[in-house]
Amino acid sequence: MGAGIAVRNNSLGEEVVRRITELGGISEDADTLTRVYLSKELRTAADLILGWMRSAGMHAHLDAVGNVCGRYEGERPGLPCLMLGSHYDTVRDAGKWDGPLGVITAISCVAELNRRGRRLPFAIEVVGFADEEGVRFASTLLGSRAVAGTFDESVLATRDRDGVSMRDALVQFGLDPDHIGAAARMRRELLAYLELHIEQGPVLEAQNLPVGVVTAIAGATRLAARLTGIAGHAGTVPMALRRDALSGAAECITAIEQFCRTDTNGLVGTVGYLHAKPGATNVIPGQVSFTIDIRAPTDAHRKRAVADIVRQIEAIAKRRDLSLQLDVTHENRTAPCAPWLKEQIAHAIAAEGFSVFELPSGAGHDGMAMIDIADVGMIFVRCRGGISHNPAEHVELADADAGARVLLRVIENFRPRES
Ligand code: GLV
Ligand code: MN
Ligand code: MN
């Protein structure tokens, strides 16, 4: 991978890869990379990124929800900005590229402009969003929703696995939960929102291309399910008389997998978390909680699929005499990328000597929230084997450099949408 693409000494890519490795070392666990929203390690990471922003010539601060924000003024102070961003939180046992690549590459591009003493007819802002993954609390895109002014204050009451509420976690992080509104930005302050991100799939690799133009970010629905039966003695209760919540959950999971596998239009469904109580070898499980994540290329298809899956789960619970609580914890519609931004990205890719290739994003991104206040464009960078949300996630230096060069070119040639 990356074969045939030249990398200069002291390239942007080299700086990006060095910083990716440094940031990837900040983790809640010694052996794996995990950095969830409002953790102590997220704060350490924020300080490191703020330092990089300042040394790139930006004014930088932590906003009211924990996002790191840097601003590089244009030809005169106070101009509307081209906003560049991605997230700096991670999933559990993560790879180090998902999110940080976009934040770090954007900072390196600004640093390059600063080195050349170049000011543009617009400001550049770089945002590292504090929560895109939604791993800790039951809602995703918390950082970008706060910036877009769509943060739902009811999530402040949600609790993490250890029972800590988001409200308390914000206070521990040094933020005021009653002032999250201060992170919101106005549409007139932004000329566009642009994000560079690893592809997290195998398509660019199959095309033998380092970068691609994203057409749209697929919508997603997430649900939290809880099945309750009766805990009991594993030796005494005959099989026919059991109300085993874990066996019920297993049937639900298989039904979801089967339903999505038989779909021929790109439907995907995942149960990524399951917790059985009381959790002992010789006790019939009385209660099981699990999550469901459903995505499809169109919103109509996803909504139909969610309704079908809910019907199937309800039928399984009824037949097994389990009580069911099912809540939608997150719903995002598909976010199309703006044609005028796709065009500017395509020009930059062609100017760097690569074929222009368009592809949709099956993964969620901060652009899904930012689309409420700005047109959105995205650049994908190839990753090895299409592997992501996995410590084996990897981007070749040559591809990181190609992504950085494309982003820098987009910034330098950026023309705001004609009104
Ligand atoms: C974010 O990575 C998502 O698509 O879940
Ligand atoms: Mn991501
Ligand atoms: Mn992710």
Side-chain angles (χ1 to χ4, degrees):
M1 200 192 320
I5 304 175
V7 183
R8 289 162 291 134
N9 281 340
N10 296 319
S11 67
L12 291 178
E14 282 176 348
E15 179 175 77
V16 168
V17 171
R18 210 168 39 245
R19 287 180 169 178
I20 286 279
T21 305
E22 190 176 349
L23 191 63
I26 303 175
S27 170
E28 294 162 42
D29 304 318
D31 304 328
T32 63
L33 171 55
T34 300
R35 206 170 51 235
V36 301
Y37 184 43
L38 300 176
S39 59
K40 196 158 53 63
E41 292 72 19
L42 195 85
R43 185 61 224 231
T44 307
D47 288 336
L48 181 62
I49 299 169
L50 288 168
W52 289 335
M53 286 174 162
R54 290 182 186 119
S55 65
M58 286 184 263
H59 291 289
H61 71 282
L62 194 72
D63 79 2
V65 78
N67 299 323
V68 282
C69 307
R71 181 173 166 97
Y72 183 74
E73 292 293 352
E75 285 162 351
R76 52 177 200 283
L79 290 168
C81 72
L82 169 61
M83 187 177 275
L84 311 172
S86 196
H87 57 101
Y88 73 105
D89 68 321
T90 73
V91 291
R92 297 189 195 282
D93 198 8
K96 51 184 185 276
W97 304 84
D98 171 7
L101 181 64
V103 181
I104 288 172
T105 304
I107 295 170
S108 288
C109 288
V110 173
E112 178 64 18
L113 294 174
N114 191 43
R115 272 192 291 275
R116 296 186 204 156
R118 182 112 200 256
R119 296 282 165 179
L120 298 165
F122 49 87
I124 302 170
E125 294 197 18
V126 179
V127 184
F129 294 108
D131 173 277
E132 184 265 4
E133 303 285 7
V135 166
R136 183 167 181 188
F137 300 102
S139 189
T140 67
L141 302 170
L142 296 171
S144 41
R145 281 191 208 279
V147 171
T150 56
F151 184 90
D152 173 6
E153 302 247 330
S154 70
V155 297
L156 289 172
T158 56
R159 293 182 182 274
D160 68 7
R161 287 180 194 178
D162 301 321
V164 180
S165 71
M166 191 190 305
R167 177 172 280 281
D168 289 345
L170 280 160
V171 173
Q172 280 162 22
F173 198 78
L175 297 169
D176 180 350
D178 295 320
H179 283 92
I180 285 177
R185 303 296 299 272
M186 304 294 226
R187 179 174 279 276
R188 64 178 145 72
E189 296 176 285
L190 272 67
L191 299 171
Y193 172 75
L194 216 59
E195 177 162 350
L196 176 141
H197 200 284
I198 58 163
E199 180 202 338
Q200 306 183 274
V203 176
L204 289 173
E205 193 173 75
Q207 293 292 325
N208 197 24
L209 289 172
V211 288
V213 188
V214 179
T215 52
I217 311 167
T221 304
R222 291 185 183 180
L223 301 108
R226 194 169 67 208
L227 287 169
T228 308
I230 295 188
H233 198 292
T236 61
V237 186
M239 296 308 286
L241 299 182
R242 293 183 180 205
R243 290 170 61 200
D244 181 332
L246 184 51
S247 298
E251 192 178 340
C252 293
I253 295 167
T254 311
I256 294 165
E257 187 192 38
Q258 192 58 22
F259 183 78
C260 295
R261 264 178 186 249
T262 50
D263 180 274
T264 49
N265 291 308
L267 180 71
V268 286
T270 306
V271 173
Y273 171 78
L274 179 140
H275 182 67
K277 284 201 229 174
T281 314
N282 59 349
V283 183
I284 300 163
Q287 190 171 78
V288 173
S289 305
F290 60 99
T291 57
I292 307 166
D293 181 309
I294 306 289
R295 309 187 196 203
T298 69
D299 291 335
H301 186 31
R302 172 175 46 84
K303 283 184 180 158
R304 269 196 310 276
V306 169
D308 274 339
I309 286 168
V310 167
R311 267 195 297 279
Q312 290 193 37
I313 292 174
E314 284 170 347
I316 292 166
K318 189 160 177 228
R319 181 162 35 75
R320 288 176 166 268
D321 199 13
L322 301 169
S323 67
L324 170 68
Q325 162 125 19
L326 199 53
D327 298 307
V328 174
T329 53
H330 163 86
E331 175 131 43
N332 246 116
R333 62 188 190 281
T334 296
C337 292
W340 67 278
L341 289 169
K342 283 195 298 178
E343 203 177 297
Q344 294 191 26
I345 293 167
H347 273 126
I349 290 175
E352 284 297 329
F354 304 119
S355 302
V356 174
F357 181 77
E358 294 196 348
L359 71 171
S361 172
H365 298 290
D366 292 293
M368 298 171 101
M370 292 304 294
I371 203 162
D372 285 332
I373 54 163
D375 283 351
V376 169
M378 280 196 81
I379 302 164
F380 267 172
V381 176
R382 162 170 63 185
C383 62
R384 186 172 63 197
I387 294 169
S388 185
H389 283 188
N390 182 313
E393 192 176 86
H394 180 73
V395 174
E396 294 291 332
L397 166 61
D399 292 355
D401 191 56
R405 283 188 278 126
V406 167
L407 183 62
L408 183 58
R409 219 177 248 280
V410 173
I411 298 168
E412 287 189 289
N413 298 317
F414 179 73
R415 282 163 288 108
R417 183 185 190 169
E418 282 153 25
S419 44

